[in-house]
Amino acid sequence: MISSTLNNKNNIQQRHSVTSEDNNSSMKWTDFLSSINYSERIFSFNLSKRKKRLFCCFCNNNADGSSNGSSVISFFEYLFSFITIINILLLLFILQGLFGLSSSFILLYTAGDSVLKNTRQFQQIQIQLFVNHELTEFIETTSLMAEHLKYQLNHLPFNLRDDISWIRLFQYYFTIYSDPINSVYFSKRNDEFIMLTKEDSTYSLKRSNATNYLEWRKLNLTEQISYDYFEKREIFQVDDTPFYPTSRSWFKFYFEKNNTFTRWTDLFVSIRGQWGFTLTMPVYVNKTVTNNTFIESPIYEDKSNINPDTLYGIIGIRLNLNGINDFLNRTFSEDLDFVMIINSKADIIGVSSHHSRNDSGLVEGLALKEIKELDLLSWIGRPLFTNNSDNTISIGNETHFVLSGDNFGVIDVQFTVITDSYGLDWAVVIGVPIKTFGEEIFGGSGVISLVVFIIVFVLGMSTLLITVKVISIPLHKIYKQMVDLVRFKGIYKHENNRLSVFYDVRNMQKSIKAMKRGIRTFTRYVPEIIVKHSMNSKESSEYDKIGMSLRHMSVLYIDITNFTILVETTDTTTFLTIITEYFSAMCQVIENNKGLVDKFIGDAVMAFFNETSFPIENHEIQACQTALDTFKVLHELNANWKLCGYPELDIHIGINSGNMLCGNIGSDNRMNFTVVGDAVNIASRLEVLNKTFNERILIGKDTYEKVKDKFICYFVDYIVLKGKDKGIPIYSVICDIKDATELQIELCKNLETICKLLISFEFEKMADLCKKLYEKSHCKIVENLLNRSIALRHLKETTEITMKDIALNEEWQHRA
């Protein structure tokens, strides 16, 4: 019997307790049917009465069939039956809520668009102020460091040739200006290079060696830098390629083009593959620079001596784009679409956009395209204020334009130019979605008000329902229990529902409880899926009467090998514990593989696959998988039983597929749903043959043809079953082909070849192949086939061989 709702031992115990309850109730099957009819009558009484009245009013007849001239009055009486105080109160309450919601929406809609426009502009101003503040702090920190460096080099003693002096200087400035600076470097015109950089709170020192390869050393900002620093500090990395600073664009800008001012570089990729931009500052000296000339103090005040020949090197203060992206992400909210910073070449310096949008990057790309078409990039290159000498950023040249598209709606884009005294050419672009009042109400922050209204409305209606429908609640529960009963929900669940105070409702509850007990008992004798199919059928089904249909199916037999010993050597309690756990586990494995348990035959389990109500396309594969799974589960059961001191079990399995009769068989009063036929008998015989061949799972030829590409199956022998004239090959299922070893795969293929040699009477070749396989595997099947080939070879020498001669009968006597 199938019990698909039970998945573990706890459910088994639950069934035992239910069984005990059923025995105590001593309910007869006739009482069960009576309870069903009684509940049905009570449940459908009022509905049936209304249907009859409605039918009569249209047919001009009474319920008893007699004519009546008051059909119109009867029809109106049916309609008036819905006009109750409960329904009227509910209708008024709903109308009141709808009228209130409509009037509020109309009132707000008249002034909503202007409010949203002002709010949107205010949001853009807020964001612009925040971005301006962050950029000011971001850029001015770098500018202040640059001015500080100029003063340090121009007014204080400093040796430009001394790398240790540069390291100490960079170390000092990093302790003061930690953010947002990523690295500081100094590059000489002879390609000597030294840089202090910060990556993930770790400081590293780069210095070019004699072959212009950059050497990396770790640096602690608090440590004292001595002149033997490079000898003591270990190099943890050397770059793969040489680095020549004079070949970089920021050096050529001063060396080749005769530029002398401090400036921001264009967006570039560093040798480490990081995007960034740098504030570069040239260092000039008061003599012509050569590689071996003594260098005096740098100059900044005497402009007459500044030229490419007096250029000694470049100081760079590099900023990482991650810092800009971080503060842009802090500006982002659900009311925004994107915020980005671009330069005059339309390079994106930083961006923060709606991460959940599927068209990520689409809106930003369209905004850049529109900026180019409106010629707004030329605004970025213009100086806003010619007297900007205080090294602060300047903000101006603001404009707006609108973007629209099917994927993102309508967006108001604000474009603002930002410059400074070092040639900063940036613009801040802010995109804010333009929403109508209706969109804001149903998709924005206004939805909160709508939700609050709905919550209040629902609470009020719920209060009304609780007040006026307190009597109808028990009836609704009865209806729900009936629906669950038909759908097989909660059949095995114990419910301690309190009985209603109403007499008729209490009787209905008792009847439903009795129906559950009866169905629970019924499903122990008939597969549960068949009971479900029968109960859910609106008309009489095939399961209600005697009859069988021919269907291609698979049958599985599982038998315990040492069952007699188990009965004789265990007490009753231990025996029932073991056998109950065993049968429960076997049933669960069968159900998990879409099979149906037919019956228990003593210690054997019979199951079939591909029944009409539960069709399976590859039922042969499911049957063999079930067989393999049963041994896995049995292994776990034996391990647990061994810990408890119980004896262990072993099983044999036989499987066969083919056409068989499936359906009800029996008498008019007692039926059994099962399968019968020659294919079923073969499966039973194969299960018995396991013991003779010392195998675990034997299958027939029809099953083998469907599963040979899925499982490793060994050809066992060619036999004639009792009562048959023709022999059939039988096979042993070993394992899934994915889990097979190379030896198992080789054995499988060679045993199939042996089968063909046996059928074709080539016993000499068969013997040779068996000898080779046995030497390699020592397989018992191969040994049996080897003995068979030798015997058949001798027989062939003395008499003429037929197909009957090569087959074994069930008594294992050769048909000579």
Side-chain angles (χ1 to χ4, degrees):
M1 179 201 65
I2 276 186
S3 303
S4 60
T5 58
L6 301 182
N7 297 321
N8 50 43
K9 187 175 178 180
N10 292 332
N11 288 338
I12 298 171
Q13 295 173 352
Q14 180 182 2
R15 277 199 161 186
H16 283 310
S17 62
V18 173
T19 305
S20 177
E21 179 186 340
D22 294 341
N23 293 334
N24 294 332
S25 63
S26 301
M27 176 183 171
K28 296 182 179 179
W29 187 249
T30 54
D31 297 335
F32 163 64
L33 295 176
S34 301
S35 65
I36 294 178
N37 295 331
Y38 174 73
S39 301
E40 224 174 64
R41 290 197 304 270
I42 295 177
F43 188 72
S44 60
F45 174 75
N46 293 328
L47 184 60
S48 300
K49 189 175 181 180
R50 285 189 176 183
K51 286 183 178 179
K52 286 183 178 180
R53 286 201 322 221
L54 182 61
F55 176 77
C56 290
C57 75
F58 282 109
C59 297
N60 293 325
N61 293 323
N62 290 326
D64 57 358
S66 61
S67 177
N68 190 350
S70 59
S71 59
V72 177
I73 297 176
S74 299
F75 176 71
F76 278 106
E77 285 181 356
Y78 174 73
L79 292 180
F80 289 152
S81 64
F82 292 97
I83 304 176
T84 62
I85 297 177
I86 296 175
N87 294 338
I88 294 297
L89 290 176
L90 289 176
L91 180 62
L92 291 177
F93 190 80
I94 293 172
L95 290 176
Q96 180 186 5
L98 293 176
F99 287 147
L101 180 63
S102 302
S103 59
S104 300
F105 184 82
I106 293 172
L107 178 64
L108 292 174
Y109 187 77
T110 55
D113 287 336
S114 60
V115 172
L116 288 177
K117 182 178 180 181
N118 294 332
T119 303
R120 184 171 62 252
Q121 293 175 350
F122 179 73
Q123 288 176 345
Q124 288 178 328
I125 293 172
Q126 278 187 318
I127 297 166
Q128 185 66 57
L129 289 174
F130 179 79
V131 173
N132 293 345
H133 172 74
E134 292 290 334
L135 284 179
T136 300
E137 183 178 352
F138 200 76
I139 302 302
E140 286 186 353
T141 300
T142 310
S143 302
L144 181 61
M145 182 176 177
E147 295 301 321
H148 199 168
L149 277 169
K150 287 182 182 180
Y151 182 85
Q152 176 83 19
L153 297 177
N154 197 43
H155 295 87
L156 299 176
F158 190 81
N159 188 355
L160 297 179
R161 294 183 299 174
D162 184 19
D163 288 347
I164 297 299
S165 298
W166 283 108
I167 296 174
R168 290 173 177 174
L169 182 65
F170 294 161
Q171 185 183 28
Y172 167 70
Y173 281 116
F174 253 116
T175 58
I176 300 176
Y177 309 100
S178 58
D179 292 321
I181 298 168
N182 175 259
S183 59
V184 183
Y185 62 82
F186 178 66
S187 175
K188 302 177 185 179
R189 65 184 297 163
N190 64 350
D191 282 326
E192 291 183 7
F193 183 80
I194 188 167
M195 178 171 71
L196 182 62
T197 184
K198 178 178 69 173
E199 295 180 359
D200 299 329
S201 302
T202 301
Y203 293 88
S204 302
L205 182 67
K206 305 178 188 178
R207 183 194 185 199
S208 58
N209 56 25
T211 57
N212 288 100
Y213 286 88
L214 293 181
E215 300 174 344
W216 293 63
R217 295 174 173 84
K218 293 188 182 296
L219 177 67
N220 189 344
L221 290 184
T222 60
E223 69 180 324
Q224 184 68 29
I225 305 298
S226 60
Y227 279 93
D228 58 351
Y229 172 81
F230 292 105
E231 288 73 22
K232 291 183 177 181
R233 181 64 67 174
E234 181 181 355
I235 299 173
F236 71 89
Q237 181 179 339
V238 178
D239 286 352
D240 298 332
T241 57
F243 176 62
Y244 299 100
T246 54
S247 64
R248 305 288 286 182
S249 59
W250 45 267
F251 205 107
K252 292 179 180 180
F253 178 81
Y254 296 101
F255 189 69
E256 298 177 356
K257 299 183 179 181
N258 198 21
N259 294 307
T260 61
F261 53 87
T262 302
R263 67 141 195 156
W264 289 100
T265 65
D266 294 332
L267 193 66
F268 68 92
V269 181
S270 69
I271 59 175
R272 301 286 289 178
Q274 296 176 340
W275 286 93
F277 52 96
T278 303
L279 181 65
T280 56
M281 182 172 58
V283 177
Y284 296 91
V285 294
N286 53 12
K287 285 186 179 182
T288 300
V289 178
T290 62
N291 289 338
N292 299 314
T293 302
F294 175 79
I295 304 301
E296 298 183 4
S297 299
I299 60 171
Y300 283 98
E301 304 299 335
D302 185 7
K303 304 296 182 181
S304 62
N305 201 29
I306 294 179
N307 57 70
D309 293 333
T310 61
L311 177 65
Y312 181 69
I314 306 293
I315 298 175
I317 305 171
R318 195 178 78 185
L319 306 183
N320 200 321
L321 292 185
N322 292 336
I324 293 180
N325 288 329
D326 288 342
F327 85 75
L328 287 181
N329 286 329
R330 293 198 302 270
T331 67
F332 191 78
S333 66
E334 293 183 356
D335 296 327
L336 289 177
D337 199 279
F338 68 90
V339 180
M340 66 177 177
I341 299 175
I342 64 173
N343 60 13
S344 58
K345 296 182 180 179
D347 296 326
I348 296 179
I349 307 298
V351 63
S352 174
S353 61
H354 204 306
H355 301 294
S356 63
R357 190 176 61 229
N358 293 328
D359 55 341
S360 180
L362 172 64
V363 181
E364 292 85 339
L366 292 176
L368 284 176
K369 181 180 178 182
E370 188 71 15
I371 288 171
K372 294 177 182 177
E373 292 178 355
L374 295 174
D375 197 25
L376 296 181
L377 292 177
S378 62
W379 290 20
I380 304 177
R382 302 174 191 171
L384 299 178
F385 305 100
T386 57
N387 60 346
N388 186 15
S389 59
D390 57 352
N391 298 325
T392 59
I393 65 173
S394 303
I395 302 169
N397 286 357
E398 178 182 320
T399 187
H400 289 257
F401 60 88
V402 175
L403 288 176
S404 61
D406 297 334
N407 295 329
F408 53 83
V410 183
I411 299 175
D412 179 19
V413 181
Q414 179 183 358
F415 179 87
T416 307
V417 176
I418 297 178
T419 63
D420 72 346
S421 59
Y422 294 138
L424 188 71
D425 58 344
W426 289 1
V428 179
V429 186
I430 302 173
V432 178
I434 300 177
K435 297 181 181 179
T436 63
F437 179 75
E439 292 173 340
E440 188 67 26
I441 287 295
F442 295 104
S445 58
V447 75
I448 298 177
S449 301
L450 183 63
V451 171
V452 171
F453 175 81
I454 293 175
I455 291 175
V456 173
F457 180 77
V458 171
L459 287 176
M461 189 167 61
S462 300
T463 303
L464 184 63
L465 286 171
I466 293 173
T467 304
V468 300
K469 284 199 168 184
V470 64
I471 300 177
S472 62
I473 291 176
L475 294 177
H476 178 73
K477 289 183 178 180
I478 294 293
Y479 166 75
K480 188 176 182 299
Q481 290 176 357
M482 291 290 293
V483 172
D484 291 343
L485 194 61
V486 173
R487 296 177 180 175
F488 256 66
K489 290 184 178 179
I491 294 296
Y492 305 104
K493 181 180 179 181
H494 289 283
E495 296 182 356
N496 297 321
N497 296 330
R498 293 192 304 173
L499 296 178
S500 174
V501 296
F502 303 104
Y503 177 77
D504 51 351
V505 176
R506 185 166 62 250
N507 287 337
M508 293 170 64
Q509 291 174 333
K510 291 180 179 179
S511 299
I512 291 176
K513 190 174 182 180
M515 290 170 62
K516 282 187 178 181
R517 288 198 303 268
I519 293 176
R520 279 198 298 265
T521 304
F522 187 49
T523 54
R524 287 182 172 85
Y525 297 95
V526 179
E528 186 174 300
I529 189 170
I530 297 174
V531 179
K532 287 183 179 179
H533 193 282
S534 179
M535 292 187 65
N536 292 328
S537 297
K538 296 182 179 179
E539 299 178 357
S540 178
S541 68
E542 58 182 308
Y543 304 106
D544 299 338
K545 53 190 177 182
I546 294 178
M548 308 189 84
S549 60
L550 190 65
R551 186 172 178 83
H552 193 274
M553 302 173 67
S554 294
V555 179
L556 175 144
Y557 280 90
I558 307 175
D559 190 31
I560 301 174
T561 58
N562 52 350
F563 182 72
T564 304
I565 299 175
L566 175 68
V567 175
E568 294 175 351
T569 57
T570 57
D571 58 87
T572 304
T573 303
T574 302
F575 170 75
L576 288 177
T577 301
I578 294 175
I579 205 66
T580 301
E581 291 182 1
Y582 164 76
F583 280 139
S584 300
M586 295 300 105
C587 291
Q588 190 63 58
V589 172
I590 293 170
E591 293 167 10
N592 291 341
N593 287 281
K594 303 178 182 179
L596 299 179
V597 177
D598 182 359
K599 61 174 69 73
F600 299 105
I601 309 171
D603 61 316
V605 181
M606 175 183 175
F608 49 81
F609 297 80
N610 197 33
E611 193 270 332
T612 307
S613 61
F614 204 2
I616 308 171
E617 184 177 356
N618 299 318
H619 54 86
E620 297 90 352
I621 294 177
Q622 292 296 129
C624 291
Q625 186 63 54
T626 301
L628 293 175
D629 290 346
T630 55
F631 281 97
K632 295 179 183 179
V633 173
L634 183 63
H635 178 73
E636 297 175 0
L637 289 175
N638 281 329
N640 294 332
W641 291 335
K642 186 176 181 180
L643 295 176
C644 298
Y646 296 163
E648 300 180 11
L649 299 183
D650 192 14
I651 58 175
H652 288 154
I653 298 177
I655 300 173
N656 193 41
S657 305
N659 293 325
M660 57 193 72
L661 292 174
C662 177
N664 285 321
I665 189 171
S667 65
D668 293 336
N669 298 325
R670 186 70 177 269
M671 296 183 299
N672 181 28
F673 190 87
T674 186
V675 290
V676 295
D678 187 53
V680 180
N681 297 333
I682 292 176
S684 177
R685 302 277 180 82
L686 291 176
E687 182 275 316
V688 176
L689 291 177
N690 277 286
K691 185 176 181 181
T692 303
F693 286 106
N694 196 25
E695 295 298 322
R696 302 188 310 169
I697 307 169
L698 288 181
I699 61 175
K701 182 179 180 181
D702 289 343
T703 306
Y704 169 74
E705 292 298 331
K706 295 292 184 180
V707 304
K708 61 183 179 181
D709 296 330
K710 172 68 176 172
F711 302 101
I712 293 294
C713 301
Y714 290 171
F715 167 69
V716 176
D717 211 327
Y718 196 80
I719 67 170
V720 174
L721 297 175
K722 188 176 181 179
K724 302 293 181 181
D725 294 329
K726 294 182 179 180
I728 61 170
I730 61 174
Y731 299 85
S732 174
V733 180
I734 304 302
C735 64
D736 194 295
I737 199 168
K738 296 183 294 185
D739 303 325
T741 63
E742 293 182 0
L743 179 60
Q744 289 175 327
I745 296 174
E746 182 182 355
L747 275 173
C748 180
K749 294 179 180 179
N750 286 309
L751 285 171
E752 182 63 21
T753 303
I754 290 173
C755 177
K756 295 177 182 178
L757 294 174
L758 176 64
I759 296 174
S760 60
F761 306 152
E762 299 182 55
F763 306 123
E764 189 72 33
K765 294 181 180 179
M766 176 181 171
D768 293 339
L769 183 56
C770 287
K771 289 178 182 178
K772 294 179 181 179
L773 288 179
Y774 185 73
E775 291 175 358
K776 183 181 296 186
S777 64
H778 295 284
C779 176
K780 184 66 176 177
I781 295 177
V782 177
E783 182 182 5
N784 292 337
L785 292 173
L786 175 60
N787 296 331
R788 293 260 285 127
S789 63
I790 295 173
L792 289 171
R793 184 177 58 186
H794 293 160
L795 181 63
K796 184 179 179 182
E797 295 174 354
T798 59
T799 184
E800 185 178 352
I801 297 292
T802 64
M803 288 299 295
K804 291 184 178 181
D805 295 319
I806 67 171
L808 293 175
N809 58 26
E810 281 192 282
E811 289 75 23
W812 314 118
Q813 298 296 325
H814 195 269
R815 301 170 65 95

